[in-house]
Amino acid sequence: QQQQQQQQQQPGLSHPPVHSASQPASSAPGADAGAYAPMFGSVVLDGSDEFIRWRAEVDASLRGLASATNALAACTSSSSSAASSGASGPATTAKEAIAQMQQHCGVLVELADHLRKQPAASKWLNSSSACVDTTGTFLTIREAIAEHVYRLMDVQNTELLMKACSVVLRVVKSRGPLLQAGKLLYRLSKDSSNDAIFRRERLLEPIVRIIQIMVTTAASSTSTSGA
């Protein structure tokens, strides 16, 4: 009988590495040997076909995001080594890696917007992903998205930061990360050259929604403590 894993508390912006659990796709008829096949955790709170398709798209985006993030790290490391040794640089440039990260973040935003229209949105996010932590425990989809996106916060690229914050505001529930994303967006908003990106990333609505939630929560807490 399936047992739902305990929900992990959302940490800050620095986390231990996670990776995707997979199995050889060759076990499936007609599959290419050695191809990737995601192995999801056992907790599935909604078995609908639409959820299964959505989860697969999220997994593909997270794998692409992780690959691009690793490519950027390798690029930075290789560039430093190449500069000192005179060797050629990495196959993927930093600009290309960041462009890929922006693309995958954009897909996650669209998937998050689609999620909000679903009556079982909470069940979708709390179902198991294909990502496991260092102990081998499957993360929920919400946790997996958060873990991948948090790693983008140190990249010095305004558009990527805004896309990452956009995902956080749409998916994450923990107050700490939401406040950090809000503070980062507030800092970026001081530069008028970023106005077009704010509009393009449709950040106003999620920011207002999060502020309303926090104000309501704060008012409720004050009322409770006063009683």
Side-chain angles (χ1 to χ4, degrees):
Q1 186 176 9
Q2 297 178 349
Q3 296 181 345
Q4 183 171 355
Q5 63 204 60
Q6 288 186 335
Q7 297 295 318
Q8 301 177 357
Q9 181 180 2
Q10 290 285 3
L13 297 184
S14 178
H15 308 283
V18 298
H19 63 276
S20 295
S22 62
Q23 55 193 359
S26 56
S27 61
D32 295 332
Y36 171 88
M39 182 171 66
F40 295 96
S42 61
V43 179
V44 179
L45 303 179
D46 182 352
S48 66
D49 290 341
E50 185 170 10
F51 164 69
I52 299 302
R53 287 193 297 269
W54 179 85
R55 183 177 64 170
E57 292 183 38
V58 169
D59 178 67
S61 295
L62 293 182
R63 284 188 286 114
L65 189 58
S67 177
T69 304
N70 292 337
L72 179 62
C75 175
T76 303
S77 176
S78 299
S79 295
S80 301
S81 301
S84 59
S85 64
S88 59
T92 301
T93 66
K95 184 177 181 179
E96 292 171 336
I98 289 175
Q100 292 171 10
M101 294 158 78
Q102 290 175 348
Q103 177 183 356
H104 292 300
C105 261
V107 172
L108 287 175
V109 170
E110 296 299 329
L111 290 170
D113 283 340
H114 177 73
L115 170 74
R116 289 184 55 215
K117 302 173 185 176
Q118 308 306 315
S122 179
K123 291 183 178 181
W124 287 22
L125 284 172
N126 291 325
S127 293
S128 294
S129 69
C131 297
V132 296
D133 62 15
T134 52
T135 67
T137 302
F138 280 96
L139 303 179
T140 65
I141 294 176
R142 189 196 304 275
E143 291 168 340
I145 293 174
E147 292 279 356
H148 283 74
V149 173
Y150 289 154
R151 287 178 168 76
L152 309 180
M153 295 300 182
D154 293 329
V155 180
Q156 299 303 308
N157 181 274
T158 299
E159 184 170 352
L160 179 60
L161 288 174
M162 287 194 182
K163 288 180 180 293
C165 287
S166 184
V167 176
V168 169
L169 293 176
R170 287 168 164 81
V171 174
V172 176
K173 292 183 65 177
S174 299
R175 185 181 182 86
L178 288 174
L179 284 174
Q180 292 187 55
K183 290 177 181 178
L184 175 56
L185 289 173
Y186 175 71
R187 177 170 60 82
L188 294 174
S189 71
K190 292 183 177 182
D191 186 347
S192 59
S193 64
N194 294 331
D195 290 352
I197 304 178
F198 266 92
R199 290 192 295 270
R200 185 169 66 246
E201 297 303 322
R202 309 189 307 278
L203 282 164
L204 183 59
E205 181 188 349
I207 288 176
V208 171
R209 187 172 66 252
I210 293 302
I211 291 175
Q212 290 173 336
I213 292 173
M214 289 187 170
V215 168
T216 302
T217 301
S220 176
S221 299
T222 301
S223 175
T224 302
S225 60

